[in-house]
């Protein structure tokens, strides 16, 4: 069986790097064969899965410095039926890739907004006068660098290698401890063949809207987990896009959705939420696999 895996392209993105790690793990642990399919945006890779054009998508969801990748959260909410099969966390090391011989010759820097944000102090210090242009991905502008020696891109060393381009300065992220969490996402019911086969799952991700914008609307959903002694590892709000000040909540819970306590929590949660989506119950690929 061959499955297609959508990811943010063109080739060499951090998302592709995460997809390759997942593919290596699949190859070692299953008989599944894979084909990687680059898409021009995170949203398009998720739409490809929703439309059945790809079996899976590997998308960034959260960075330890910059926080949520809002495009991922918004699209996962919008496309009902997507399921998280697995998570993996990748260390991120950004590099300034350019054919310029010195920083003084650079006029424009391109990259994905997350990468630009993760290097903003470095950029202000070493390239305070350059024009900064946000792209859909860290690799979108790489093909122009050879023709435009006054431009640079922030991307991975793997990307520099793939495009045969020089790294002018390496390790330019503002914080050395820089990690991004990726989700492996499918459409429909969870599928054991894409997951780490263990008896239980370590995480469950939920998203919900609350019935009314009233005092305490969020307290009750949170109280359910507190009272059952279930730990939350993340909470994020996003605008509903219906009216100013109305939010959706994304919650990661350190528990298996199939456990009895979680089943009670989820049943109770339906009484205190407007729309409740269980985005997935899954494990995290161990760091030893990276
Ligand atoms: O543009 C990429 O390479 C991506 O995969 C998005 C991204 C950007 C910066 C850090 C992690 C993921």
């Amino acid at each position: 069986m061959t499955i297609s895996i959508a990811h943010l392209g063109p080739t060499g993105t951090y998302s592709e790097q995460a997809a390759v790690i997942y593919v290596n793990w699949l190859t070692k642990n299953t008989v599944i064969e894979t084909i990687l399919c680059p898409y021009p945006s995170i949203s398009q890779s998720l739409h490809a899965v929703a439309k059945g054009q790809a079996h899976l998508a590997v998308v960034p969801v959260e960075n330890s410095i910059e926080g949520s990748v809002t495009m991922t959260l918004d699209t996962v909410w919008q496309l009902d039926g997507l399921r998280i099969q697995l998570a993996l966390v990748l260390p991120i090391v950004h590099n300034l890739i350019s054919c310029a011989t010195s920083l003084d010759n650079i006029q424009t820097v391109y990259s994905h907004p997350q990468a630009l944000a993760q290097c903003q102090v470095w950029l202000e210090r070493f390239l305070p006068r350059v024009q900064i242009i946000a792209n859909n991905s860290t690799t979108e502008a790489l093909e122009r660098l050879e023709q435009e020696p006054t431009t640079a891109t922030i991307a991975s060393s793997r990307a520099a290698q793939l495009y045969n381009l020089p790294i002018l300065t390496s390790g330019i992220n503002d914080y050395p401890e820089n990690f991004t969490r990726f989700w492996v996402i499918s459409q429909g019911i969870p599928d054991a063949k894409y997951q780490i086969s263990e008896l239980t799952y370590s995480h469950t991700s939920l998203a919900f809207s609350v019935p009314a914008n009233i005092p305490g609307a969020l307290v009750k959903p949170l109280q359910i987990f507190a009272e059952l002694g279930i730990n939350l590892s993340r909470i994020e709000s996003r605008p509903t896009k219906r009216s100013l000040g109305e939010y959706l909540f994304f919650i990661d819970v350190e528990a298996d959705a199939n456990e009895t306590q979680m089943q009670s929590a989820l049943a109770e949660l339906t009484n205190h939420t407007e729309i409740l989506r269980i985005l997935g119950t899954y494990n995290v690929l161990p760091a030893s696999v990276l």
Side-chain angles (χ1 to χ4, degrees):
M1 179 197 186
T2 302
I3 61 158
S4 48
I5 305 182
H7 63 81
L8 175 64
T11 194
T13 60
Y14 292 102
S15 302
E16 186 195 54
Q17 200 173 330
V20 167
I21 289 166
Y22 177 62
V23 163
N24 290 343
W25 176 84
L26 271 182
T27 310
K28 221 170 145 189
N29 294 280
T30 70
V31 292
I32 298 172
E33 289 180 17
T34 52
I35 165 168
L36 289 181
C37 307
Y39 282 83
S41 68
I42 293 171
S43 153
Q44 284 179 62
S45 13
L46 289 168
H47 274 89
V49 173
K51 285 191 272 186
Q53 290 167 355
H55 292 89
L56 296 173
V58 177
V59 288
V61 61
E62 184 188 12
N63 176 265
S64 58
I65 310 300
E66 270 308 299
S68 285
V69 181
T70 53
M71 177 62 77
T72 298
L73 297 184
D74 291 352
T75 314
V76 165
W77 175 263
Q78 185 201 335
L79 297 174
D80 190 18
L82 295 180
R83 287 283 167 281
I84 306 161
Q85 301 285 350
L86 193 113
L88 62 151
V89 178
L90 214 67
I92 304 289
V93 181
H94 292 305
N95 305 278
L96 191 78
I97 303 173
S98 176
C99 296
T101 47
S102 112
L103 291 180
D104 298 335
N105 301 332
I106 292 174
Q107 289 168 8
T108 315
V109 175
Y110 296 94
S111 200
H112 185 277
Q114 277 258 343
L116 293 170
Q118 290 159 28
C119 303
Q120 58 187 314
V121 175
W122 188 92
L123 286 168
E124 272 162 31
R125 179 157 173 218
F126 293 102
L127 294 171
R129 276 174 289 279
V130 300
Q131 189 184 21
I132 292 181
I133 298 180
N135 280 155
N136 269 348
S137 77
T138 53
T139 52
E140 200 178 283
L142 281 176
E143 278 191 339
R144 333 172 20 176
L145 294 193
E146 239 174 336
Q147 284 83 52
E148 297 173 22
T150 60
T151 64
T153 282
I154 297 173
S156 69
S157 57
R158 178 173 173 271
Q161 227 167 23
L162 287 171
Y163 290 76
N164 200 19
L165 287 164
I167 291 177
L168 194 54
T169 315
S170 58
I172 64 166
N173 20 309
D174 298 333
Y175 298 89
E177 288 288 303
N178 187 340
F179 293 90
T180 296
R181 186 193 323 282
F182 293 82
W183 280 341
V184 177
I185 288 187
S186 71
Q187 173 72 23
I189 53 162
D191 194 331
K193 70 174 176 293
Y194 299 139
Q195 301 187 324
I196 299 177
S197 57
E198 277 170 17
L199 294 176
T200 58
Y201 298 111
S202 59
H203 287 79
T204 300
S205 293
L206 310 170
F208 58 82
S209 55
V210 286
N213 185 7
I214 49 161
L218 182 60
V219 170
K220 193 62 205 172
L222 297 184
Q223 223 168 26
I224 296 168
F225 294 104
E227 280 168 7
L228 289 169
I230 301 171
N231 201 35
L232 305 183
S233 53
R234 174 173 177 234
I235 178 162
E236 184 70 64
S237 64
R238 290 291 301 147
T240 59
K241 308 186 205 308
R242 289 190 302 219
S243 97
L244 185 67
E246 244 187 50
Y247 296 97
L248 307 170
F249 298 95
F250 289 79
I251 282 182
D252 286 357
V253 181
E254 287 178 353
D256 183 335
N258 306 301
E259 281 168 15
T260 322
Q261 275 215 325
M262 266 295 275
Q263 289 281 315
S264 328
L266 294 173
E268 179 68 7
L269 203 55
T270 56
N271 300 325
H272 301 281
T273 51
E274 182 195 36
I275 299 170
L276 171 65
R277 300 234 169 97
I278 300 169
L279 303 178
T281 189
Y282 55 89
N283 283 316
V284 182
L285 209 63
S288 58
V289 173
L290 303 186

